[in-house]
Amino acid sequence: MKKYIIYIAILIGGLLLGYLFFGTGDVKNGKQETEVVEGHEHEGETSQMWTCSMHPQIMQPEPGDCPICGMELIPADANADGLGADEFQMTNNAMALANIQTITVGGGGEVENTLTLSGKIQVNEEANAVQVAYFAGRIESLNVSFTGENVNRGKLLATIYSPELVAAQQELLTAAKMKESQPALYNAVRNKLKLWKLSDAQINSIEEAGRVKENFPVFATVSGTVTEKLVQEGDYVEQGQPLFKLANLNSVWAVFDAYENQISGLEEGQKIKVTTNAYPDKELEATISFIDPVLNTASRTLRLRAVLDNKNENLKPGMFVKAKLERNAGQEQESTLSIPKTAVLWTGERSLVYVKTSRDKPVFEMREIELGATLGDTYEVLSGLESGEEIVAHGTFTVDAAAQLQGKKSMMNQGKKKEDSAGMQMNLPDSFQKDFTGVLSAYFDLKDAFVNTNVEETKAAAYKMLQQTENLKISNLGTMETQHFKKIRSMLEAISVNDNIENQRDHFIVLSENIIAFASNMETFKKPVYIQHCPMVNNNKGADWLSLSEEIRNPYFGEVMMNCGDTQQKL
C-alpha cells in the first residue's frame, strides 16, 4: 500500500514540475499555433486575384503581365458579388486609358435653341393631275412606256378603239347631210362629240372625209412627269377611268415629322432651312405652309410641310431632308431631356446607352431608350432615362466591347436570350458587299489558324484581315452597320497583338458574331458558307463561327475537341 502511495506522489510531483517548466510555454505556443492556422485559413478565403485594367476578363491568381496587351496586372476587386445580373465593372485605369467620359442627364447643360427635324421630299399634290379616258373602249397603243417620262400638254398618250365613238361618228355623218333642214340635230351631235374631248378640227375632219375613224387619240391635257402608269396595251377602259398620274415637279413638298412635345414651338409661316443628303452643302430657305391638325397616335408625331421650288428638278420625291428652325424664345424646355449623339448605340430598331449605376465605382449597365427629335448634336430622350442619371458620353463603343467580352448585355447580346447574329437586319450597299468578300476570305484563314492552335499564325492572319478592312468604304453605311464594323476592327487589333491563344479565342467569339451579322445580309456568295455552333465554348454559353466546309473543325478547341459542334445554317 505504501508502495502505491509513493508512486502516486511521484506522479503528482512530475505533473506539477512539468506544468511549472513547460505549461506556460505550451499554452503560449498553442495559442500562437492556433492563430497561425486561423491566419492561414483567413488568407485562403481572401486569396487575391489579379486582372488587367484594359482587359477585365483576364483573371490570374498571381501578379504578372496581361497576356493580351502586356500591361502589368493590378489587384482585382474581390467584392464583385454585389453587382446586378446585367451590371459589369471596369477599373479606373481602364476608364482613363480608353478616355471614357460620362455626363449627368439633365445636368443643366446649355441646350441649343435650334430644332432639327427629319423628313422626305414628296410630290406636290396640288400640282398633281390624273389623265383619264373620256370614252370607253380598248387601248390599241400606248405612247408612254415608263414612269418618270416627261409629258407636255397636247402630247399623244394613247390610241383607243371605241364602239360608242364609232356609232357617234355615224350619227354625225347622217346629221351632216340634214344640217340645213335640221340644224338643231346637227349641233347636238357635234356637242356630244365635244363632250368626249374631240376638238372642232377633229370633228370637221370626220365630216370632210365622209367616213368613220375606228381609233381615236388621247392627248395630254396638262404637262408633267408620269408618276404612275395604270393601264397596258389591250386593256378595256371605261369612260372616266384613270390612265396615268402626272405630277408637275417644278415644286415639291418637304414633309417632316415633329414629336408631340415640339408642337408648341411650331406654327405656320415659320421660316426653316432645309438641307438634303444629296446636296449637303446647299441650304434652301422655305416656310412652313401646313401643319397636320391630327396627331399620329402610333408614333406620337405631327406632320408638317413646306413647299420648295424645284424648277431645275434636283429634288427627287423620296429624298431624305432635314429642316432646322429656331425655337421660340419663350418656349419651355426644362422638361426636355437631351443626350449627346455620341452616347447612343444603334442596333437597328433599338437605341442603347450605358448607364453608370454607381456613383463611386465604374459600374455600368446597358439601357434601351426611346429617342425623339435631333437638337443640334444631341437627341431628345422620350423614355428610358431620368434626370440625374449618369451615362457614358464618350467611349461608348469601348464600354460595349467590354460588356460583350464579359457576357453582359451589349449590342450583340440583348440579355438572357442571345440575339441571333444571322437574323440581324443590315442595309449593305452592293459595292460594300463586293469588297467585303476579301474580308471574309481573310476570316477563313484566321479561323483555320485557330483550328491549328498556332499563336503566331493567328496573329499574322488577324493582321492580314485588319489590313483588308482598311480597304473598305464605310462612309455609305448606316450608323448601326458602322458601329458593328468598328467592333470587328477592334477585335482584330486585339488578336493581332495577343500572345495567348485562349484570350485570342475570347476575342474571336466577338469577332465571329459581328462577321456573321454582315455575312448574313450579303446577297450572294461564290461558294456555300456555313454557320456552325459549339455549345461548350465560353463556359458552356456557346459560340458560332463561319466555315467554307460543312465538316466541323472547331476553332475554339482545336485538336482537343476538333469535331465538337454542328452546322446551324447554310448561307
Side-chain angles (χ1 to χ4, degrees):
M1 187 70 177
K2 185 183 294 184
K3 180 179 179 180
Y4 287 110
I5 295 173
I6 294 173
Y7 288 157
I8 292 171
I10 293 173
L11 180 60
I12 293 172
L15 290 173
L16 181 61
L17 291 173
Y19 174 78
L20 292 174
F21 284 100
F22 304 105
T24 305
D26 289 342
V27 172
K28 183 178 180 181
N29 290 339
K31 183 179 179 181
Q32 288 174 344
E33 288 175 3
T34 301
E35 289 179 350
V36 170
V37 170
E38 290 177 351
H40 281 301
E41 290 177 355
H42 181 70
E43 183 180 352
E45 292 175 356
T46 61
S47 58
Q48 178 66 58
M49 296 296 289
W50 300 77
T51 186
C52 175
S53 58
M54 287 297 293
H55 302 94
Q57 73 274 19
I58 301 299
M59 283 290 176
Q60 294 186 1
E62 57 187 17
D65 295 333
C66 174
I68 297 178
C69 62
M71 291 182 60
E72 184 178 357
L73 298 180
I74 62 174
D77 185 4
N79 187 24
D81 295 335
L83 299 181
D86 298 325
E87 293 179 330
F88 63 97
Q89 183 170 353
M90 300 180 68
T91 65
N92 291 326
N93 284 345
M95 296 278 290
L97 290 172
N99 193 25
I100 296 171
Q101 301 174 13
T102 62
I103 64 166
T104 301
V105 178
E110 184 177 352
V111 179
E112 291 189 47
N113 203 37
T114 302
L115 177 65
T116 302
L117 301 177
S118 298
K120 283 184 179 181
I121 294 293
Q122 293 186 7
V123 171
N124 185 346
E125 295 179 6
E126 295 176 344
N128 280 358
V130 179
Q131 185 70 53
V132 301
Y134 293 104
F135 42 83
R138 183 182 67 244
I139 298 177
E140 294 296 313
S141 64
L142 281 178
N143 292 73
V144 175
S145 54
F146 57 89
T147 58
E149 185 174 347
N150 288 324
V151 171
N152 293 323
R153 183 177 181 179
K155 178 180 178 179
L156 178 64
L157 298 179
T159 302
I160 297 178
Y161 166 72
S162 173
E164 293 181 356
L165 200 53
V166 169
Q169 291 178 76
Q170 291 173 342
E171 292 177 5
L172 174 65
L173 295 177
T174 302
K177 296 177 182 179
M178 300 181 296
K179 65 179 178 180
E180 297 297 335
S181 59
Q182 298 186 24
L185 176 62
Y186 172 73
N187 292 330
V189 174
R190 286 185 65 95
N191 290 334
K192 181 179 179 180
L193 291 173
K194 288 181 179 180
L195 292 176
W196 282 332
K197 298 298 180 180
L198 267 67
S199 64
D200 287 331
Q202 287 176 307
I203 297 173
N204 292 335
S205 67
I206 295 171
E207 285 187 45
E208 293 172 359
R211 56 188 175 85
V212 174
K213 294 179 63 175
E214 293 184 353
N215 299 327
F216 267 82
V218 177
F219 297 102
T221 57
V222 294
S223 299
T225 301
V226 177
T227 57
E228 192 171 354
K229 182 181 174 184
L230 302 173
V231 292
Q232 301 293 335
E233 285 188 6
D235 288 351
Y236 283 86
V237 294
E238 299 293 334
Q239 183 178 3
Q241 181 176 333
L243 303 176
F244 306 97
K245 289 185 178 180
L246 304 176
N248 189 336
L249 299 181
N250 288 335
S251 65
V252 292
W253 284 349
V255 181
F256 304 95
D257 291 321
Y259 285 93
E260 187 175 5
N261 60 357
Q262 300 169 332
I263 296 175
S264 61
L266 302 173
E267 57 186 19
E268 292 185 11
Q270 193 170 0
K271 299 293 184 181
I272 62 174
K273 295 181 179 180
V274 181
T275 57
T276 66
N277 291 348
Y279 308 101
D281 298 331
K282 188 175 181 180
E283 195 172 67
L284 305 174
E285 293 188 357
T287 303
I288 297 177
S289 60
F290 176 78
I291 298 178
D292 199 326
V294 180
L295 184 75
N296 186 325
T297 56
S299 61
R300 309 304 301 174
T301 59
L302 199 65
R303 306 192 81 184
L304 58 94
R305 69 171 180 253
V307 180
L308 300 178
D309 181 74
N310 191 37
K311 291 181 181 178
N312 53 11
E313 296 191 0
N314 287 336
L315 302 176
K316 314 295 183 183
M319 276 186 174
F320 288 107
V321 290
K322 291 183 178 180
K324 291 184 178 180
L325 62 156
E326 297 295 325
R327 285 176 177 263
N328 294 335
Q331 182 180 355
E332 294 292 333
Q333 299 179 18
E334 289 77 3
S335 60
T336 301
L337 294 179
S338 62
I339 60 175
K341 291 181 177 179
T342 55
V344 181
L345 293 173
W346 299 89
T347 64
E349 298 179 353
R350 290 179 294 272
S351 306
L352 308 174
V353 296
Y354 278 95
V355 179
K356 188 170 181 286
T357 56
S358 172
R359 291 188 177 276
D360 303 324
K361 298 179 181 179
V363 177
F364 301 97
E365 179 181 3
M366 193 192 76
R367 181 86 58 81
E368 183 175 342
I369 63 173
E370 182 183 0
L371 296 179
T374 302
L375 299 171
D377 292 329
T378 64
Y379 288 120
E380 285 187 335
V381 180
L382 302 181
S383 64
L385 286 175
E386 299 292 338
S387 179
E389 288 190 297
E390 191 173 357
I391 64 171
V392 177
H394 186 275
T396 315
F397 176 76
T398 304
V399 176
D400 182 76
Q404 188 170 353
L405 286 170
Q406 296 186 48
K408 301 295 184 179
K409 273 189 176 183
S410 64
M411 289 175 63
M412 192 67 72
N413 180 13
Q414 291 296 315
K416 295 181 180 179
K417 183 177 180 181
K418 182 181 175 182
E419 185 169 314
D420 185 8
S421 303
M424 180 176 293
Q425 297 296 317
M426 289 185 170
N427 183 17
L428 304 179
D430 292 339
S431 59
F432 179 88
Q433 294 187 37
K434 181 179 178 181
D435 296 337
F436 196 74
T437 55
V439 176
L440 278 179
S441 178
Y443 169 86
F444 294 125
D445 293 338
L446 177 60
K447 186 266 298 182
D448 291 339
F450 277 114
V451 170
N452 298 331
T453 317
N454 188 316
V455 173
E456 294 303 321
E457 183 181 346
T458 301
K459 292 171 64 176
Y463 182 72
K464 177 183 176 182
M465 185 175 174
L466 183 61
Q467 288 181 313
Q468 286 284 345
T469 62
E470 294 177 353
N471 299 326
L472 266 67
K473 181 181 178 181
I474 64 173
S475 59
N476 53 354
L477 292 182
T479 304
M480 179 192 72
E481 291 83 356
T482 301
Q483 291 175 342
H484 283 284
F485 183 80
K486 289 181 178 180
K487 185 169 286 189
I488 288 175
R489 288 186 52 84
S490 176
M491 295 300 102
L492 288 172
E493 290 172 355
I495 295 173
S496 63
V497 297
N498 194 337
D499 291 321
N500 183 293
I501 189 67
E502 296 307 323
N503 283 286
Q504 284 180 327
R505 282 169 169 156
D506 288 341
H507 289 84
F508 188 67
I509 293 174
V510 181
L511 172 68
S512 295
E513 289 178 344
N514 289 272
I515 287 289
I516 289 172
F518 277 92
S520 300
N521 286 274
M522 295 180 64
E523 294 179 357
T524 58
F525 294 98
K526 294 181 179 179
K527 299 179 180 179
V529 176
Y530 302 93
I531 300 178
Q532 297 176 335
H533 176 80
C534 176
M536 299 181 64
V537 179
N538 196 18
N539 296 324
N540 295 321
K541 296 176 183 177
D544 300 331
W545 71 92
L546 289 179
S547 176
L548 291 174
S549 172
E550 198 167 1
E551 178 188 2
I552 299 297
R553 292 177 60 81
N554 194 310
Y556 298 114
F557 289 126
E559 295 181 354
V560 177
M561 288 190 290
M562 181 67 73
N563 305 118
C564 178
D566 61 354
T567 297
Q568 300 282 313
Q569 186 179 344
K570 178 181 177 181
L571 300 179

